Structures are given as C-alpha cells and as structure tokens.
Amino acid sequence: MPFAKYNIPMSKTSSKWVCQECGHASFSYLGKCSECNSWGSLIEEITYKKSGKSNQVSSSSKFTLLSKDTEQNIERIKTFDSEIDTVLGGGFVPGSLILLAGEPGIGKSTILSQLAGHLSKKLKVAYISAEESINQVRLRLERLKLSNKEQETNLSLLAENNLEAVLNLLENEKLDFVIIDSIQAIYHPDIESGIGNVSQVRECANKILRFAKDKNITTVIVGHVNKEGQIAGPKVLEHIVDTVLYMEGEKFHNFRILRTTKNRYGCTDEIAVFEMKDDGLKTISNPSYIFLSQNKEPVPGSTYAALTEGSKSIICEVQALIGSTTYTTPRRMANGLDYNRVLQIIAILERRVGFNFSKHDLYVNLVGGLNSSEPALDLAIAVAIVSCKQDVIPEKRTVYIGEVGLTGEIRQVNKTEQRIKECIKLGFERVIIPAGTEVSKKLFNEIEIVSAKKLLEAIRSSLQTITKTENVNQ
Ligand code: TYD
Ligand code: MG
C-alpha cells in the first residue's frame, strides 16, 4: 500500500469541487460557482478518511536535542558549475526538494540532463521522464556529449508517468539524486483528477516530498509555467518544495537566466546567466557583454545603465525612439522596462525639465531581451528620451546610475560601487551617479565620476548641445 509506505496515514474516499472565492462545495465541476457566480474558481479537493492508526504517534517520530552532539556539517552536493552552486546558496542540500520552473522549451530538460550527466560521475542518479521516451532522453544526452556507451554509468533512465510505479521502483534503488521531468505529466492512480490538474499536481508533489525526506534523496521536479505563470499550478508547488528555481529567457534570444525565488537553505538574489548553444547551456561569467548592443558608435537615443542581480552587475543599453503621433492619445511602449516607471519619467521630464511629449509617440527598450524594473535605470531612461527628442548624441562611453524623484532630484541607489566597478571592467570612461553617494577614492583614479543632484544637471553634463529646453522649472 503506497500511502503506508510513505507515511501518509490516510486513504482517499471522495473528492469535491470547492470554490476558491466563497468556499462553496460542489460534487462535480462547474464553470461558474452556483453560490457566488464567479467563473473558473472551482478547484478539486480530495477528502481522505483517517485510518485507524492516524492518531497514534509514529514510532519513528522523536525529539532531537539541538546540542553539540547533534551538530552535523551538512555537505552540499556541488554541481558541474560554480554559478549554479552560487544560485543554490552553495550547492544542493541532501534530501531537499527543488522545483525547476519555466516556460516550455526554455531549456529545463537540457540543464537537468547536463546536471544528471555530470553528477552521475560521483553519485547515483535517476532521470525519470514522464514526457519523453528513453531514446529521446538518450539522444539529448548524446547531443550534450554526456552519454558514454563504453563506460559503466551511474545514471539510470526511466520513461514512466505513473507516480506509484515510479516510487515503487525507486524504493529498491540506492539513489542519491532523482530528477522528475515533469510534474504536470505525472499522475497517481489514487487521484481521480486528470493529468496536470491542480489537485493531481499538488498531491503528486506531496508524495514526492515525503519520498525525498524519508529517503534523504535530493529530488528535482520540473514544472511548466505559461507567460502568466499560472498553468497547472507551480504556484501551488512553491509552498510544498524547499527551493524554487526559475529559468527565464526570451524566445528570440539565446541567453537564459536561472534564479531562485524561494530557498530554505540560502539567499534568493543570485542569478546565473547561460547561453543556449548547440551542445547545451554554457555559463556566461561576464553577462554584460551579451547585453550591450553591437553598435559601438554612439547615436541619439541610446544610453548605458548598470543594473544589479545579487553579487552581479550587468551593464545594458537603454534605447528610446520618439515619433510624432497619429493618435489622439500618444502611444507609450516600454519593452523590458516597467511601463509605469517610464510614464513617471516622461511626466517628470515634462513638468521638471520643460519638455512636451503630448504630440509624440514614445518607445523605450532595454536591449537584448533583458527585463528590469530597477529604479537605478531611471536616469539612463530619462537621458535616452531627451537625447532622442533633441537629436543629440549623449556623451561617449558613459553609464548613468540613479533613480529620478518626482521633484526632478536624482536619488541614491544601492550597490553603486559594485555598479561602477563593472563599468571600469568593461572600459567605460565616465559614470554619472547621484550626488552624495559615498564612493571609495580608489575608483576616482580609474573612471571619471560625475555626481548630479538634479535631472537637468545630469542631462546638461551628458548631452553635448542642448538646443533648447522650454520652461525650465527646477
Ligand atoms: P528543452 O530542455 O527541451 O526545454 P524544456 O524542457 O524547458 O521544455 O530545450 C528546448 C530547446 O532547447 C529546444 O528548442 C532545442 C534547444 N536546445 C539547444 O539549443 N541546444 C541543446 O543542446 C539542446 C539539448 C536543446
Ligand atoms: Mg522538457
């Protein structure tokens, strides 16, 4: 009996559909709740009957005293890549359950195949594919140059989507690391709802969690998300697992970003950047290079900004384009940037610097498919817009760092020194930072550092000729 095996002292008796808005329960699925009339809010919930034993304390449960005798140095499992280790907070914690989420086709199976291939050199690894056949998994491993037919390997492959069968098979293997690809394609025969439904996904994840903890086997499950991050419940899964890894990237760009959004064993602000090549994902230790445009000659409407992700700084290019509008309300578009921040910067430029954009469509883009809503990008956005509007080339090899306040002041941002160091590394000659920022004297010898208090001041020092600014209100 699988439930007993994984210490779940229950057996399923029935299921009901519960409205997530008002709590009304129905015995069948309804598109619209008959009580509160909300659409698509019914989710299947499974009711378990308590077995006779459930009130008894399991004999294996006991208190552990937190004393020197019980102190253990948990050795983390290092991956093939130090960047992935950093994202995980130093490697995988043995016995933890990790969710790797991302849109279909982003490269989840690729990175996990690479992980399985490398880890199996020292650990016993199982790759369970519920989506692909053994041959497909093997072909991928061959493509990644990770399958060695001559040598004995510690990597076992299994193509199966019945979780009960999978757990029974895993029971008899002495494994260190298990990968289940994917949670949406797996089902447990005791749960009646369809493959990929929220209840099926949640219950399967709970059983895998029990398995990982009881056997102390590090387990990674794959979860697909759509653009809205909603489909088939990775949000539900986030509560169950110890660590959530997100793999992001743009369809039309080759770079991928791996980040943690939840980590019970480490911080969550580190990222690793990869490039998808023909033979798998390759780490990019200096990501700034891929996000800078190939166009080296400075042009109106293009500036450089420095954003940060954990201990990494990335220099990227911000571009602005202005055209006269054919609409009654002019169009504003922000690609890779926060739309509302861009609107706010336009309002500040109008009110505090004196520009008028009411007859202009305005497009702002963060080059390379990057996404950031960091306020530190404000200054670069503002200068790019003005530079395009005035058709003036901004100062060469200059990076803009600073948040723009509603009164037109430039506000300090965090990690300014870290950002400046990245500018130095990439050979930039000048950096404009908020006035009052403390910067170590050493940096002044390596790059020209200009402090600006007000937006107009920063614009004046960056654009060689400002032809005219109407009504300067500062
Ligand atoms: P995949 O890992 O199957 O995505 P997911 O599991 O997230 O759905 O990767 C899909 C894409 O990656 C596919 O379009 C092919 C491409 N790819 C490469 O470019 N190089 C490679 O070495 C591999 C294995 C895949
Ligand atoms: Mg896949």
Side-chain angles (χ1 to χ4, degrees), residues 305-315 374-377 379 399-403 410-425 428 430-444 447-452:
L307 53 94
T308 60
E309 293 275 2
S311 59
K312 275 197 183 62
S313 284
I314 301 172
I315 309 292
E374 255 201 283
L377 295 172
L379 186 55
V399 179
Y400 300 88
I401 300 167
E403 179 182 348
I410 307 218
R411 301 172 66 89
Q412 293 184 27
V413 294
N414 62 355
K415 301 180 184 167
T416 308
E417 272 204 12
Q418 186 185 315
R419 295 175 209 256
I420 298 176
K421 282 182 188 156
E422 184 68 16
C423 301
I424 297 171
K425 214 156 92 188
F428 281 91
R430 202 161 169 261
V431 56
I432 309 223
I433 60 165
T437 310
E438 279 186 25
V439 179
S440 86
K441 287 208 174 73
K442 221 173 70 200
L443 295 178
F444 282 87
I447 195 166
E448 186 191 345
I449 300 176
V450 181
S451 318

Side-chain angles (χ1 to χ4, degrees), residues 64-75 94 216:
T64 305
L65 275 178
L66 183 65
S67 65
K68 275 194 180 149
D69 300 341
T70 58
E71 258 177 37
Q72 272 182 9
N73 238 347
I74 297 169
E75 206 178 307
N216 198 32

